[in-house]
Amino acid sequence: MSAEATMSAEETAVPADPGSARWWAERSVADRRRRPRAGGLSTERIVETSLEVLREEGLEALTVRSVAERLGTSNASLYRHIASRDELIALIADHVMGDIRLKRTGRGWRVDVEALMLEMRRVILSQPLPPSAGRSQSGSGPNMLRLVEFALTLFREAGLTDRQAVYTTITMIEFVGGSTSIRRSPAGRGSNGVAGAAGAAGLRQLLDGLPADDFPALGAAGNLYTAASADDVFTHGMALFLDGVTSQLPGSQ
Amino acid sequence: MSAEATMSAEETAVPADPGSARWWAERSVADRRRRPRAGGLSTERIVETSLEVLREEGLEALTVRSVAERLGTSNASLYRHIASRDELIALIADHVMGDIRLKRTGRGWRVDVEALMLEMRRVILSQPLPPSAGRSQSGSGPNMLRLVEFALTLFREAGLTDRQAVYTTITMIEFVGGSTSIRRSPAGRGSNGVAGAAGAAGLRQLLDGLPADDFPALGAAGNLYTAASADDVFTHGMALFLDGVTSQLPGSQ
DNA sequence: ACCTGAACACCGTTCAAGT
DNA sequence: ACCTGAACACCGTTCAAGT
């Protein structure tokens, strides 16, 4: 009864944060009572066009105005389908996650989880939205739920308890998200190919300016720190994670 | 020689991305030739005032204009100390990391690393900048380098090779960063206390709307997924990480 | 019912002109 | 050398008025 009161209050209360679970829930309800016209605007067309803008001009150029212009309408028209720019970004963030392919190899949970993590990383890095912009807003979208369902299945079959499977799934998503958002050398639009090299040179320059006495470990391992590639670090971190999961399985003494 | 050419070219080439290693390096050079006046503006005063704005009104209210007004100067004056709003955010992001206390317990590497991770999480969550905004721009700042030095020391003393210590340190930072930026139920400024409860209710509502046949695992573990607290998930993920590190130590067969 | 021109209330950033 | 008024070129969002 009090649960029901909570449910119905959600419609009228403070508007839900774009990308939050409640926002996705309310949006799917609102979508059902929508009656689209042929040839008219639609959320999908808006998202598709937004991706074009992002790919060609980057996040800062993604304005309600630029998307409307590309669609040949007034910017005010978009507000019939999205309530704010933040909602647009939330929709894009989950839409892009739809590119993640979920498949079993038949060679055991560890191989499958590893493949899933690599696939997540590939999609997050190749998508035109900066990882930092999309991540916090995509966690509860339909495509992410699909991924959660898949990961839960893998971990349960591996032998984890339901509770362990849930926690491990969330941890996996957080880890992949974290490892894709830091350290992409010069993030953003002005991406000339020199990115990686410039990043390493800048780091070298930074370490050289440090007082050696205060940073003995960085002095000793600095070259490795400078040279560490994001791919290698991810591979290492993924192994740590998988080893950790293995140590939680019933069989492992 | 070609290395020297690279170094000197960096001053004149494309401006460095705020928060990137090169940006921090160039900034520390520029800072040395600055000659501040008594009672005048300074980067520190600007950062301090920005934190006030953030604490009281949130990220969207943090404008060059609002900071200038609070300082009693023209907004144009800030551009003598920062080149853009993004630079301001990068400075804030690292400044806040200075609150992270680095200390040894004397009870072994695992206890120390665990304390460090909890301390990072505490500071990142209590700082007024949304984790997603600060993270990608703080990785190479002076306070983060201090933390890297400390973590490298712990992992080297634990028995990891320099290469393993470097990769493990980066992985740790990425993991803590990732786990703090997803799933803070309704991120942002409108934070009333009901945050967590509303987030759980929204998630419940979302799962209830799912076709049960397509989501068997979520159907079975849905309650656990809805109820999982961010703290518990972090504790679990941290254990996975530490178990993974343990399995890489020389002693572990 | 849908769409949109025009306006509102802002932004970040620049620069010529002041002290 | 430092500071700043005023302007430039934008934003997201709203809403009355149209079809």
Side-chain angles (χ1 to χ4, degrees):
Chain A
M1 195 176 287
S2 80
E4 217 176 62
T6 305
M7 298 297 268
S8 64
E10 284 165 2
E11 201 81 19
T12 53
V14 188
D17 251 38
S20 69
R22 205 183 101 207
W23 180 81
W24 282 107
E26 288 174 7
R27 185 163 181 101
S28 84
V29 170
D31 265 5
R32 258 189 287 280
R33 69 169 79 109
R34 196 181 278 282
R35 208 135 293 282
R37 325 214 129 175
L41 272 184
S42 71
T43 303
E44 261 126 55
R45 281 189 64 209
I46 293 173
V47 168
E48 224 63 74
T49 304
S50 300
L51 282 169
E52 285 178 30
V53 176
L54 279 171
R55 268 189 285 266
E56 294 171 25
E57 309 175 65
L59 180 62
E60 280 177 39
L62 182 73
T63 65
V64 177
R65 286 171 144 90
S66 69
V67 175
E69 191 180 13
R70 225 174 250 250
L71 284 163
T73 57
S74 137
N75 50 334
S77 299
L78 298 202
Y79 285 88
R80 196 152 293 273
H81 298 87
I82 52 162
S84 69
R85 181 177 184 263
D86 278 352
E87 287 202 0
L88 178 57
I89 290 177
L91 288 166
I92 297 169
D94 187 77
H95 177 91
V96 154
M97 295 306 198
D99 289 345
I100 297 176
R101 291 185 295 258
L102 309 176
K103 54 181 184 215
R104 313 287 296 264
T105 65
R107 288 188 288 145
W109 72 269
R110 183 159 178 147
V111 176
D112 284 355
V113 170
E114 197 169 309
L116 173 60
M117 292 173 79
L118 287 168
E119 172 72 0
M120 287 176 69
R121 178 172 158 84
R122 180 189 70 80
V123 168
I124 292 173
L125 289 181
S126 65
Q127 136 240 45
L129 208 55
S132 58
R135 197 154 10 90
S136 58
Q137 291 186 302
S138 73
S140 305
N143 282 313
M144 278 305 283
L145 288 181
R146 207 178 109 255
L147 189 150
V148 168
E149 169 70 24
F150 182 71
L152 279 179
T153 307
L154 294 180
F155 288 124
R156 289 171 91 211
E157 290 185 14
L160 294 182
T161 65
D162 278 358
R163 209 185 95 105
Q164 287 174 324
V166 163
Y167 285 19
T168 303
T169 295
I170 299 173
T171 297
M172 181 197 73
I173 293 171
E174 290 175 349
F175 167 66
V176 177
S179 68
T180 47
S181 66
I182 312 192
R183 280 184 69 73
R184 296 180 66 198
S185 309
R189 65 246 135 78
S191 62
N192 38 11
V194 210
L203 201 50
R204 185 72 268 166
Q205 188 184 356
L206 193 61
L207 294 186
D208 287 345
L210 250 39
D213 289 354
D214 298 339
F215 295 86
L218 265 174
N223 282 327
L224 289 161
Y225 191 72
T226 309
S229 88
D231 279 350
D232 288 348
V233 172
F234 181 73
T235 302
H236 179 84
M238 186 166 62
L240 290 183
F241 169 77
L242 292 168
D243 286 351
V245 175
T246 300
S247 76
Q248 297 219 320
L249 293 179
S252 81
Q253 53 143 333
Chain B
M1 197 175 287
S2 79
E4 216 176 62
T6 306
M7 298 296 268
S8 65
E10 282 166 4
E11 201 80 18
T12 53
V14 188
D17 252 38
S20 68
R22 204 184 101 208
W23 179 81
W24 283 107
E26 289 174 6
R27 185 162 180 101
S28 82
V29 170
D31 264 3
R32 259 189 286 280
R33 69 169 81 108
R34 196 182 279 282
R35 209 137 289 282
R37 322 214 133 178
L41 273 183
S42 71
T43 303
E44 262 126 56
R45 282 190 63 209
I46 293 173
V47 168
E48 224 64 72
T49 304
S50 300
L51 282 170
E52 285 178 31
V53 177
L54 280 171
R55 269 190 284 266
E56 294 172 24
E57 310 176 65
L59 181 62
E60 280 177 39
L62 182 73
T63 66
V64 177
R65 285 171 144 89
S66 68
V67 175
E69 191 179 15
R70 225 173 249 249
L71 284 163
T73 56
S74 137
N75 49 335
S77 299
L78 298 201
Y79 285 88
R80 196 152 293 272
H81 298 86
I82 53 161
S84 70
R85 182 177 185 264
D86 278 352
E87 288 202 0
L88 178 57
I89 291 177
L91 289 167
I92 297 169
D94 186 76
H95 177 89
V96 154
M97 296 305 197
D99 289 345
I100 297 176
R101 291 186 296 259
L102 309 176
K103 56 181 180 216
R104 313 287 295 264
T105 66
R107 290 188 286 145
W109 72 268
R110 184 158 178 148
V111 176
D112 284 355
V113 170
E114 198 169 308
L116 173 60
M117 292 173 79
L118 288 168
E119 173 72 359
M120 286 175 69
R121 177 173 159 82
R122 181 189 72 79
V123 169
I124 292 172
L125 290 181
S126 65
Q127 135 239 49
L129 209 55
S132 58
R135 198 154 10 88
S136 58
Q137 292 187 301
S138 73
S140 305
N143 282 313
M144 278 306 283
L145 287 182
R146 207 179 108 255
L147 190 150
V148 167
E149 169 71 22
F150 182 71
L152 279 178
T153 306
L154 294 180
F155 288 125
R156 289 171 92 211
E157 289 185 14
L160 294 181
T161 65
D162 279 358
R163 210 185 93 104
Q164 286 173 324
V166 163
Y167 286 18
T168 303
T169 295
I170 299 172
T171 297
M172 181 197 72
I173 293 170
E174 290 175 348
F175 167 67
V176 177
S179 68
T180 48
S181 65
I182 313 193
R183 281 183 68 71
R184 297 180 68 197
S185 310
R189 64 242 134 82
S191 61
N192 39 11
V194 211
L203 201 50
R204 184 72 268 164
Q205 188 184 354
L206 192 61
L207 294 186
D208 287 345
L210 251 39
D213 290 353
D214 297 339
F215 295 86
L218 265 175
N223 282 329
L224 288 160
Y225 191 72
T226 308
S229 88
D231 280 348
D232 288 348
V233 172
F234 181 74
T235 302
H236 178 85
M238 187 165 63
L240 290 184
F241 169 77
L242 292 168
D243 285 352
V245 175
T246 301
S247 78
Q248 296 218 321
L249 293 179
S252 81
Q253 54 141 331

